[in-house]
C-alpha cells in the first residue's frame, strides 16, 4: 500500500522539477536566515539565484556534524524562536550534543513521511503499534509515535526499559506492530523465550527497525523468532528523524522520501559526487524543512543508490543496506573493518548467540582485534576438541570476511552487556593509550 | 555401569569457579571430585557431585552452560602400582582415554575416565574383573 501516491510515485521528470523549485526556495531561505550558510556562499561567490535546478546542487557547500557542533546550540536554526515548536538533541559522545529545532510545519512533514513508511510496511488503521524506541531527546520515540497516530493506527508508547511489562502488553492488547532498534527486537525475542513463550504467542506481524545498522541475517533471525515481517526504517535527527527512508514490501533497498530529502552519493575522501550506482557516503539536503534546514549534510553512512522504479510502484530512489557508518568504521592494521561485518558472520553460526563485543588494542605496535562472543548454552560440549573447533570455525570465517585475523574469545552465556537502545559493541583501547 | 559427570563452561576470569562452588554449596550439593581443563580464554570444569540433576537445575538458573556426560568410575586399591595395572589392560585392548582424573578415599582409589568408546571400555573392564562404580556407590 502507498500512503501518498502523488509524491511517492511521481514521474522522475516531475520530481526533479519539484526538487529544483524546492531547492531554490531553500537556498533563498538559508542565505537570508542562516549566517553560517550566507558566509559560506559568499566565500564561494554564490547567490541564491545561481541555484535554479536540482543539478545546481553540486555548487553548494557541504554541511558536517562538526559544523553543527561548532554552531552549538542553535546557530544553524533558520526560523525565529517563535516558530520553533520542538527541539531534539542527539547523544554527543564527544563534544557538544547536536541540537535540532523543528517548526510546526517540519513536524507535519515528519509525520507524513513516517506514515508513508508505516504504510509501506503494511500498517493500517486497526493495527496497534508498540513504539519501543526511547522517548525524549532522541528522535526515534516521538518520530515513530506521531507517524503511527497520523496514519490512524493505535500507538502504544512503550519506550525502552521495562521489557517484562512490554511483553505483557504485547500479549494482552494483541499488539500487531513493533518499532524499535533491531538489537532490542532480538533482546525481546530472548526475553520471550525466557518466559517460555515464542513469537507464536503474540499477534505481532510487522516490525519497523532502525537507528542502528543491521544485516540480512539479523532480519531473518528477527523474522523467525518473532514471526513477523521486519523492515528497515532510516533516519537521522540532523535531517529529521525516522522516516527519511523506508523499505517497502519488496525488501530491496530503502526508498528515500525524495520530495523532502535530496540524496547524493559522494566519495568520502574527496567530496566528489559519484555516478548513480557507485558506493560512497550518503549526503542529504532537506528540501522542505524550515526550522533547521541543512544543505548537503554528510551522513557518514556508506551505501549505494539504486535507480529505477521499484516493483512496488514507487519511483523514489532507493539505497542499499547501509554497510556501516564511516564513523563506526575501524581501521585495524590498515584495513577497514565494520562491526556489521562481524555481526553477519556471527549470525551465520548457530552455536553462538547473536551478540558480540569488539575489543581493539595495540600490542607491541601491532593492532589487535578480539571478538568476544557468547556461547549458546545448548551448544556447550564437554569435548574440548569440538569447543576449539567452534572457535576456529568462527576465526576462519572472520578472517575470510574481514581480511585480518581476529582473536575469538568465547564467553559465558548472558555475560556480554545487553543494551535496550543503541548497542555499544566496540571498545577501542588504542584511543585511550 | 557409568556415572554422570557434570561439565560447566567457564570463562578464564577470577571468581568464576567460586561462583560454581558457592551455588552448589548453597543448595547442599557436595562435590566428590573435579578437574579443570583450560585453554587461554575458557575452561571446562568437570565435576562428580552428590545430586547431579539438582546441580544442573541450579547452575542453569544462574545462566551457566552445563552438560552431562557419561563417564566410567573405576575403583582400585589405594596402593602403588594398582592404577598402572588397569591402564595397561585398557591400553592392551586399544582403549583410548580422552581425559581422566582421580580421587582417593582411605584405602580405596577412584579413577574417573572418559574413554573414546564407552561400551568397549566397559566390556573389557568387566572381562578383566575391574570394579566399576555407579552413581549410588559414590
Amino acid at each position: 500500500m502507498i500512503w501518498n501516491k502523488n509524491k511517492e510515485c511521481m514521474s522522475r521528470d516531475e520530481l526533479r522539477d519539484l526538487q529544483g523549485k524546492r531547492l531554490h526556495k531553500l537556498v533563498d531561505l538559508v542565505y537570508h536566515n542562516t549566517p553560517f550558510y550566507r558566509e559560506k556562499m559568499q566565500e564561494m561567490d554564490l547567490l541564491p539565484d545561481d541555484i535554479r535546478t536540482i543539478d545546481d546542487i553540486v555548487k553548494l557547500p557541504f554541511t558536517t556534524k562538526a559544523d553543527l557542533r561548532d554552531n552549538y546550540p542553535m546557530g544553524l536554526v533558520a526560523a525565529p524562536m517563535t516558530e520553533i515548536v520542538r527541539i531534539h538533541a542527539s547523544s554527543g559522545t564527544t563534544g557538544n550534543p547536536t541540537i535540532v529545532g523543528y517548526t510546526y510545519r517540519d513536524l507535519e512533514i515528519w509525520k507524513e513521511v513516517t506514515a508513508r513508511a508505516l504504510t509501506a510496511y503494511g500498517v493500517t488503521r486497526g493495527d496497534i503499534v508498540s513504539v519501543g524506541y526511547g522517548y525524549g531527546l532522541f528522535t526515534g520515540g516521538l518520530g515513530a509515535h506521531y507517524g503511527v497516530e497520523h496514519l490512524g493506527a493505535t500507538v502504544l508508547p512503550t519506550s525502552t526499559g521495562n521489557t517484562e511489562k512490554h511483553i505483557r502488553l504485547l500479549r494482552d492488547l494483541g499488539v500487531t506492530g513493533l518499532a524499535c532498534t533491531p538489537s532490542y527486537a532480538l533482546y525481546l525475542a530472548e526475553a520471550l523465550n525466557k518466559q517460555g513463550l515464542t513469537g507464536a504467542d503474540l499477534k505481532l506481524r510487522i516490525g519497523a527497525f532502525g537507528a542502528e545498522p543491521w544485516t540480512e541475517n539479523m532480519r531473518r533471525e528477527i523474522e523467525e523468532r518473532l514471526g513477523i515481517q521486519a523492515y528497515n526504517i532510516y533516519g537521522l535527527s540532523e535531517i529529521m528523524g525516522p522516516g527519511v527512508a523506508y523499505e517497502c514490501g519488496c525488501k530491496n533497498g530503502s526508498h528515500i522520501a525524495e520530495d523532502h530529502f535530496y540524496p547524493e552519493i559522494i566519495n568520502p575522501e574527496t567530496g566528489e559526487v559519484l555516478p548513480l550506482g557507485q558506493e560512497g557516503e550518503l549526503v542529504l539536503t532537506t528540501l522542505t524543512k524550515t526550522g533547521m534546514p541543512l544543505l548537503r549534510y554528510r551522513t557518514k553512512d556508506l551505501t549505494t543508490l539504486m535507480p529505477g522504479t521499484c516493483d512496488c510502484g514507487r519511483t523514489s530512489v532507493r539505497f542499499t543496506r547501509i554497510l556501516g557508518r564511516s564513523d563506526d568504521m575501524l581501521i585495524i592494521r590498515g584495513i577497514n573493518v565494520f562491526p556489521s561485518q562481524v555481526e553477519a558472520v556471527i549470525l551465520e553460526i548457530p552455536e553462538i548467540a547473536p551478540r558480540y563485543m569488539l575489543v581493539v588494542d595495540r600490542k607491541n605496535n601491532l593492532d589487535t582485534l578480539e571478538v568476544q562472543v557468547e556461547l549458546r548454552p545448548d551448544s556447550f560440549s564437554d569435548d574440548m576438541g569440538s569447543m576449539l573447533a567452534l572457535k576456529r570455525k568462527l576465526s576462519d570465517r572472520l578472517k575470510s570476511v574481514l581480511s585480518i585475523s581476529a582473536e575469538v574469545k568465547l564467553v559465558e552465556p548472558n555475560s556480554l552487556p545487553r543494551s535496550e537502545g543503541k548497542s555499544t559493541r566496540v571498545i577501542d583501547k588504542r584511543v585511550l593509550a | 555401569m557409568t556415572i554422570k559427570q557434570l561439565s560447566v563452561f567457564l570463562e578464564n576470569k577470577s571468581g568464576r569457579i567460586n561462583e560454581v562452588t558457592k551455588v552448589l554449596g548453597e543448595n547442599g550439593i557436595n562435590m566428590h571430585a573435579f578437574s579443570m581443563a583450560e585453554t587461554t580464554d575458557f575452561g571446562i570444569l568437570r565435576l562428580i557431585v552428590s545430586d547431579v540433576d539438582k546441580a544442573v537445575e541450579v547452575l542453569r538458573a544462574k545462566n551457566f552452560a552445563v552438560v552431562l556426560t557419561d563417564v566410567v568410575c573405576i575403583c582400585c586399591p589405594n596402593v602403588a602400582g594398582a592404577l598402572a595395572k588397569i591402564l595397561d589392560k585398557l591400553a592392551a585392548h586399544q582403549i583410548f582415554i580422552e581425559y581422566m582424573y582421580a580421587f582417593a578415599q582411605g584405602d580405596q582409589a577412584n579413577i574417573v575416565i572418559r574413554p573414546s568408546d564407552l561400551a568397549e571400555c566397559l566390556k573389557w573392564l568387566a572381562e578383566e574383573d575391574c570394579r566399576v562404580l555407579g552413581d549410588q556407590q559414590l
Side-chain angles (χ1 to χ4, degrees), chain B:
Chain B
M1 192 161 31
T2 58
I3 58 171
K4 292 274 181 224
Q5 168 193 267
L6 176 70
S7 304
V8 187
F9 178 83
L10 289 181
E11 255 176 84
N12 269 6
K13 62 182 184 198
S14 52
R16 294 313 289 157
I17 299 184
N18 312 27
E19 191 60 32
V20 174
T21 52
K22 208 170 78 193
V23 171
L24 294 179
E26 278 165 3
N27 287 280
I29 299 164
N30 188 30
M31 298 188 291
H32 298 305
F34 68 85
S35 88
M36 184 82 202
E38 54 129 51
T39 69
T40 49
D41 58 324
F42 69 89
I44 301 175
L45 177 66
R46 299 178 170 124
L47 303 145
I48 307 295
V49 296
S50 57
D51 185 342
V52 73
D53 295 328
K54 190 167 173 197
V56 168
E57 188 193 312
V58 296
L59 287 171
R60 278 206 179 130
K62 291 277 181 189
N63 282 323
F64 281 101
V66 294
V67 71
L68 292 180
T69 315
D70 288 323
V71 291
V72 182
C73 185
I74 305 168
C75 180
C76 69
N78 191 5
V79 294
L83 178 60
K85 232 188 261 173
I86 296 168
L87 292 182
D88 268 349
K89 287 174 188 164
L90 288 178
H93 293 300
Q94 309 286 319
I95 302 292
F96 178 77
I97 294 171
E98 287 177 1
Y99 57 79
M100 64 183 283
Y101 48 99
F103 57 109
Q105 292 172 313
D107 52 9
Q108 175 182 320
N110 300 314
I111 306 107
V112 177
I113 65 171
R114 168 74 189 168
S116 51
D117 187 334
L118 205 61
E120 194 72 0
C121 177
L122 287 171
K123 190 182 104 187
W124 288 116
L125 286 172
E127 208 147 296
E128 298 284 356
D129 270 338
C130 291
R131 198 173 152 226
V132 172
L133 300 183
D135 283 320
Q136 309 309 320
Q137 294 151 289
L138 283 169

Side-chain angles (χ1 to χ4, degrees), chain A residues 208-229:
Chain A
F209 305 116
E212 58 186 25
W214 52 310
T215 59
E216 280 304 316
N217 282 319
M218 211 159 161
R219 176 184 344 241
R220 265 197 296 279
E221 169 134 15
I222 292 171
E223 290 191 335
E224 247 166 58
R225 292 180 70 173
L226 290 177
I228 60 172
Q229 295 294 314

Side-chain angles (χ1 to χ4, degrees), chain A residues 23 107 118 134 136 143 154 158 164 169 171 180 260 270 273 281 308 327 331 353 360 369-370 379 418:
Chain A
L23 180 67
L107 296 181
L118 293 162
T154 309
T158 328
E164 223 161 273
L169 291 173
R171 294 188 76 192
C180 61
H260 296 292
T270 62
V273 177
E281 180 181 341
D327 266 3
I331 302 179
V360 188
L369 171 63
E370 180 178 280
S379 306
R418 296 303 200 258

Side-chain angles (χ1 to χ4, degrees), chain A residues 169-310:
Chain A
L169 291 173
L170 291 179
R171 294 188 76 192
D172 294 353
L173 296 172
V175 171
T176 48
L178 173 67
C180 61
T181 61
S183 51
Y184 185 66
L186 282 174
Y187 178 84
L188 200 67
E190 208 167 286
L192 265 182
N193 295 158
K194 266 199 193 136
Q195 295 186 18
L197 303 170
T198 67
D201 296 298
L202 303 178
K203 286 207 174 127
L204 277 183
R205 58 184 194 93
I206 293 169
F209 305 116
E212 58 186 25
W214 52 310
T215 59
E216 280 304 316
N217 282 319
M218 211 159 161
R219 176 184 344 241
R220 265 197 296 279
E221 169 134 15
I222 292 171
E223 290 191 335
E224 247 166 58
R225 292 180 70 173
L226 290 177
I228 60 172
Q229 295 294 314
Y231 300 98
N232 186 44
I233 185 158
Y234 174 85
L236 60 170
S237 61
E238 298 90 320
I239 294 299
M240 188 62 101
V244 172
Y246 45 90
E247 282 182 326
C248 60
C250 304
K251 292 183 187 163
N252 180 23
S254 300
H255 289 274
I256 299 173
E258 263 190 291
D259 50 327
H260 296 292
F261 313 106
Y262 184 76
E264 297 168 273
I265 297 286
I266 62 163
N267 175 330
E269 262 133 55
T270 62
E272 169 206 2
V273 177
L274 298 174
L276 206 61
Q278 271 196 39
E279 187 193 301
E281 180 181 341
L282 179 66
V283 170
L284 291 169
T285 297
T286 63
L287 294 174
T288 48
K289 249 171 77 168
T290 48
M292 198 179 98
L294 296 181
L295 299 181
R296 306 186 83 196
Y297 182 70
R298 296 188 55 164
T299 66
K300 305 224 168 172
D301 286 326
L302 300 178
T303 186
T304 309
L305 291 183
M306 306 160 68
T309 301
C310 180

Side-chain angles (χ1 to χ4, degrees), chain A residues 116-131:
Chain A
R116 286 187 198 175
L118 293 162
T119 306
Y121 309 148
V123 176
T124 58
R125 281 165 175 255
D127 274 306
I128 306 176
V129 181
S130 168
V131 175

Side-chain angles (χ1 to χ4, degrees), chain A residues 19 56 83 90 111 191 236 296 309 331 366 397 399 401:
Chain A
Q19 288 171 329
D56 294 327
E83 296 294 314
S90 81
K111 284 193 285 199
L236 60 170
R296 306 186 83 196
T309 301
I331 302 179
L366 189 70
R397 275 298 292 152
K399 176 140 198 201
V401 170

